[in-house]
Amino acid sequence: MIKFLDLPKINARFDTQFKNQFDSFLNTGQYILGDGVNTFEANFAAFCGTKHCIGVSNGFDALVLIFKGYMELGILSKGDQVIVPANTFIASILALLEVGLEPVMVDPNPSTFNIEASDIKKQLTNKTKAILVVHLYGQLCNMEAINDLAKQKQLLVIEDAAQAHGALNKSLNSKAGNLGDAAAFSFYPSKNLGALGDAGAITTNNSNLADVIFKLRNYGTSTKYENEVLGVNNRMDEIQALFLNIKLSALENDNSHRQSIAKQYISKINNNKIKLPFYDGSKNHVFHLFVVLVNNRQHFLEYLKVNNIEAAVHYPIPPHKQVALQRFNHLKFPITEKIHETCVSLPISPIMTSLEVDTVIEKLNNY
């Protein structure tokens, strides 16, 4: 069986380092916001090229804290509209609703699965205050055009970079996390940089925003027992920070391996029943997921299963069709709906062997 994602095998590469780090962690007695979190924040900020990184509990909380931070600074207010892709994972929408902001969904480009400046522009109103871009599946949005539009209209640009760790915009010479005003990352175990539990981070070059988020994540305090804002407990776990520090050193190579597999899939899969993703061959896509579109999805999934290939669906139901978001159920986004009805994620990971890649290619060509 070719696994969709073999997490035990991925993490086994760091087994000795993890165990040594854990033993050291036990002996320090420093279990909350210790040197591990501080070191990871410095390392990840350097990796992304930003001034600040704030380690938090998960990717959803990272998004929520960014918006709460801007509210504390008086830059956003409840009821403000935020442009967001219609085809994102529901967390992007829930984060906006959590803080009282109004999501305005936009259909994506059918080739890249990402929203474009031209489509964003059509949805702008005098209530629009921010654009939440999502670098879906690991591919960067066209940030030059989106940032130009945001500058013209005086809008914030927030990156949901939960799937794009290390993706590089070559012309701007900047990575995900350093392409807008602030960015949210998830280190959910299956991500390209995955923890062994929940964890997330915020990156920004805005020192005022960073300062308020550092307080917000820890009960609203920068000095113990002195609470300056109404905060929460959204701290990054110390042990996850230690594990992430270990894995961060492998991220560039892991992303390169994913890109190599993607190039093989795109150049060698030749079947008109399967629509392959757009990829320009650069480092702007780190292939957290390799998503193809197939009209008869259930038949295709059964074919893969019979041929011992695990696959997944990200995501079967778009946010505006979810029962939890009933007030959006009347909306229609034809491109989004088509993607969600036909998408299939193929195996891709830093530990896939050449034989496994060749087998996937062979079976898809025979479909």
Side-chain angles (χ1 to χ4, degrees), residues 160-187:
D160 182 336
Q163 301 182 354
H165 316 67
L168 174 69
N169 181 311
K170 189 175 180 181
S171 62
L172 295 174
N173 195 31
S174 294
K175 290 178 182 172
N178 192 26
L179 294 166
D181 294 292
F185 286 89
S186 166
F187 304 118

Side-chain angles (χ1 to χ4, degrees), residues 32-297:
I32 301 287
L33 292 183
D35 291 340
V37 172
N38 293 336
T39 301
F40 178 73
E41 288 172 341
N43 288 343
F44 196 66
F47 177 83
C48 295
T50 57
K51 291 180 182 176
H52 307 284
C53 170
I54 306 103
V56 297
S57 38
N58 55 64
F60 173 76
D61 291 336
L63 281 171
V64 169
L65 287 171
I66 289 170
F67 293 117
K68 280 186 176 180
Y70 277 117
M71 287 177 163
E72 285 290 336
L73 294 173
I75 295 170
L76 289 176
S77 303
K78 288 191 175 183
D80 286 346
Q81 292 180 349
V82 180
I83 301 292
V84 62
N87 62 317
T88 185
F89 180 55
I90 195 172
S92 309
I93 311 293
L94 294 178
L96 295 170
L97 297 174
E98 177 75 10
V99 296
L101 296 170
E102 187 64 23
V104 176
M105 297 180 226
V106 174
D107 242 352
N109 180 315
S111 296
T112 65
F113 307 123
N114 286 332
I115 55 173
E116 300 283 354
S118 56
D119 295 314
I120 294 169
K121 191 173 183 178
K122 296 172 189 174
Q123 300 301 321
L124 297 180
T125 72
N126 59 4
K127 290 185 177 180
T128 309
K129 301 299 179 185
I131 302 166
L132 177 57
V133 298
V134 180
H135 304 309
L136 198 66
Y137 309 145
Q139 181 164 219
L140 295 178
C141 295
N142 181 349
M143 295 306 295
E144 292 95 329
I146 290 172
N147 281 328
D148 284 347
L149 175 64
K151 189 174 181 181
Q152 291 169 25
K153 303 295 183 179
Q154 296 183 301
L155 305 174
L156 294 170
V157 177
I158 311 302
E159 297 174 78
D160 182 336
Q163 301 182 354
H165 316 67
L168 174 69
N169 181 311
K170 189 175 180 181
S171 62
L172 295 174
N173 195 31
S174 294
K175 290 178 182 172
N178 192 26
L179 294 166
D181 294 292
F185 286 89
S186 166
F187 304 118
Y188 187 78
S190 62
K191 304 298 187 189
N192 290 31
L193 180 61
L196 276 67
D198 264 326
I202 296 155
T203 56
T204 185
N205 292 310
N206 185 324
S207 296
N208 291 332
L209 179 67
D211 182 59
V212 76
I213 293 174
F214 272 118
K215 294 172 186 174
L216 284 170
R217 73 160 182 194
N218 190 27
Y219 298 110
T221 180
S222 55
T223 303
K224 198 169 185 180
Y225 302 131
E226 295 180 17
N227 306 85
E228 299 154 63
V229 294
L230 293 174
V232 288
N233 181 355
N234 284 158
R235 303 173 299 216
M236 175 178 272
D237 187 29
E238 179 75 4
I239 190 63
Q240 298 305 333
L242 293 167
F243 291 154
L244 287 167
N245 267 319
I246 291 167
K247 294 184 73 175
L248 181 58
S249 62
L251 180 56
E252 292 280 18
N253 284 338
D254 284 358
N255 284 345
S256 293
H257 192 70
R258 288 173 180 269
Q259 289 159 346
S260 173
I261 294 169
K263 287 174 182 175
Q264 291 179 70
Y265 281 167
I266 289 168
S267 65
K268 295 178 181 177
I269 294 171
N270 185 17
N271 186 329
N272 58 18
K273 296 177 186 173
I274 301 164
K275 183 182 177 184
L276 299 170
F278 170 81
Y279 178 39
D280 66 7
S282 74
K283 293 184 177 180
N284 83 327
H285 199 333
V286 291
F287 287 97
H288 169 60
L289 298 171
F290 188 96
V291 177
V292 299
L293 304 182
V294 184
N295 282 330
N296 192 340
R297 179 165 64 195

